[in-house]
Amino acid sequence: MNVYSIVVTYNRARLLRRALTELAENGFKRIIVVNNASTDETAEVLRAFESHFEEYYALTLPTNIGGAGGFSEGLRRFVAVSREGDYALLHDDDSWPNFAYGELAAQLGPSVRLGAFPVTHTDGTLVSMNRPGRARFLRSVWRAYEYFQSSHRPQQIDDFTFWRDFEYCAFVGFLIRRDVVTAVGVPSPAFFIYSDDTAYTYLASRQYGPIRNLYRGRCTFIHDRNRASARSLLNSPFVFYEVRNKVVLFRMFSPWSAAFALFYVLRSLLLAPAKAGVILKGAIAAYREPLQRFLPVDASVPAKTSVGELVEPG
């Protein structure tokens, strides 16, 4: 049994260097990095780490296909180079495991197909947008309050001691076994950014059991990012994807999707009135685009976007 760390990066060479350094120092030996056509010093950083790991794959894409496309390509490579029983550990270039490889390996076994870690800021507080949770609110309109009150997921780091498992999580510290990837497929690049992780992990957990809480032994992931709120996300350059993809999620999984979508869009308009045009454009796009575009893709089917330069194991 081996664990392959899959890192997606775009124009954050300094953070990527830190993430790869932490992986090496914590004993991770198999790394797949997907470079989303970065224009900074990322290529130099990737070359500098060629001899630091037993297996090292650096995939440089010809165009930026977003975090969703990057993890899709990374999992394709994982399926191609790994064996049955191996795991993929997904995370961004600004995050890394705050534990040794041996601590992770000790938690794995035949019963673990999916897993997730608490994700913290560098000061140890939880990263709000990366909290795993349960999705009862998607299945019942009467539980909508759980979504907007965040009671469907842990509020503080100590809360993780009371949660055995989850139904969805972020692509930061997400663990998935190879047989699940081959059965479910890889994430759809159509999401580009935001909600691709929620859709994919929720689908996987519905088919192959809950996502195991891997906090045992106080294992966490560190995410070196600014604090984000619903208001800040809606005022980001990617607000179109935030809104479109969230409404797509409601359409995919909730029998009350129209009610959830309407409430979410109205709330978004109140939080970010200056972005009203883009918010409405994203909501309309979510209904115009077929849901099939957002479902996982067979890992064995070649992607439409070809992979460029490939650095084989160093």
Side-chain angles (χ1 to χ4, degrees):
M1 181 275 296
N2 296 307
V3 178
Y4 288 75
S5 179
I6 300 178
V7 184
V8 175
T9 187
Y10 177 68
N11 280 351
R12 294 196 290 201
R14 179 186 63 83
L15 289 168
L16 176 63
R17 184 185 297 276
R18 173 71 186 275
L20 293 176
T21 298
E22 294 287 344
L23 286 166
E25 292 181 351
N26 281 316
F28 287 79
K29 300 178 180 180
R30 292 165 179 83
I31 311 295
I32 299 171
V33 184
V34 182
N35 175 16
N36 252 327
S38 299
T39 57
D40 62 356
E41 297 79 27
T42 294
E44 288 78 5
V45 172
L46 292 176
R47 284 193 290 270
F49 281 86
E50 289 178 10
S51 61
H52 285 61
F53 305 98
E54 288 186 11
E55 288 186 58
Y56 181 73
Y57 304 91
L59 315 180
T60 299
L61 305 181
T63 57
N64 180 6
I65 56 175
F71 284 116
S72 183
E73 292 285 4
L75 282 170
R76 287 180 193 278
R77 178 59 52 178
F78 163 70
V79 169
V81 302
S82 62
R83 299 178 179 179
E84 285 301 316
D86 288 347
Y87 291 86
L89 180 64
L90 280 61
H91 57 104
D92 294 327
D93 54 6
D94 58 352
S95 60
W96 54 84
N98 191 29
F99 51 84
Y101 179 83
E103 295 178 82
L104 169 59
Q107 296 195 58
L108 303 182
S111 64
V112 180
R113 289 177 166 178
L114 303 163
F117 295 92
V119 182
T120 73
H121 293 284
T122 53
D123 64 2
T125 57
L126 279 183
V127 178
S128 178
M129 67 181 297
N130 292 154
R131 288 175 295 161
R134 296 177 184 150
R136 293 179 298 184
F137 63 88
L138 285 174
R139 300 187 290 272
S140 170
V141 70
W142 306 113
R143 290 187 176 274
Y145 69 91
E146 293 185 353
Y147 174 73
F148 295 103
Q149 292 180 350
S150 288
S151 59
H152 58 294
R153 52 188 184 171
Q155 301 296 302
Q156 302 177 27
I157 187 68
D158 288 342
D159 292 345
F160 277 84
T161 59
F162 304 107
W163 290 68
R164 176 181 173 81
D165 48 53
F166 308 100
E167 292 181 315
Y168 71 89
C169 65
F171 280 165
V172 180
F174 171 56
L175 187 83
I176 183 168
R177 205 167 64 191
R178 186 181 188 275
D179 60 313
V180 181
V181 179
T182 57
V184 174
V186 298
S188 169
F191 280 100
F192 191 75
I193 189 173
Y194 297 143
S195 295
D196 53 311
D197 44 11
T198 304
Y200 184 78
T201 59
Y202 186 49
L203 277 171
S205 71
R206 288 175 69 183
Q207 296 179 48
Y208 291 96
I211 300 168
R212 182 75 61 86
N213 178 6
L214 297 175
Y215 185 48
R216 187 196 310 171
R218 301 282 174 168
C219 293
T220 65
F221 248 77
I222 293 178
H223 200 172
D224 188 3
R225 59 163 292 126
N226 296 326
R227 298 176 191 277
S229 63
R231 189 185 301 274
S232 64
L233 287 174
L234 290 169
N235 280 286
S236 78
F238 302 107
V239 61
F240 170 82
Y241 297 105
E242 167 67 16
V243 174
R244 184 200 64 173
N245 296 350
K246 195 65 65 68
V247 175
V248 164
L249 278 182
F250 296 145
R251 290 189 63 208
M252 290 175 73
F253 300 121
S254 176
W256 307 94
S257 61
F260 277 115
L262 178 61
F263 194 92
Y264 171 74
V265 171
L266 290 176
R267 178 172 177 263
S268 300
L269 291 171
L270 288 174
L271 289 173
K275 297 284 187 176
V278 183
I279 290 171
L280 292 174
K281 184 178 179 181
I284 292 170
Y287 280 94
R288 284 183 172 174
E289 298 187 36
L291 289 181
Q292 189 68 29
R293 289 193 62 226
F294 299 93
L295 295 177
V297 183
D298 190 336
S300 64
V301 176
K304 292 183 179 179
T305 302
S306 61
V307 173
E309 175 191 1
L310 169 64
V311 179
E312 294 293 349

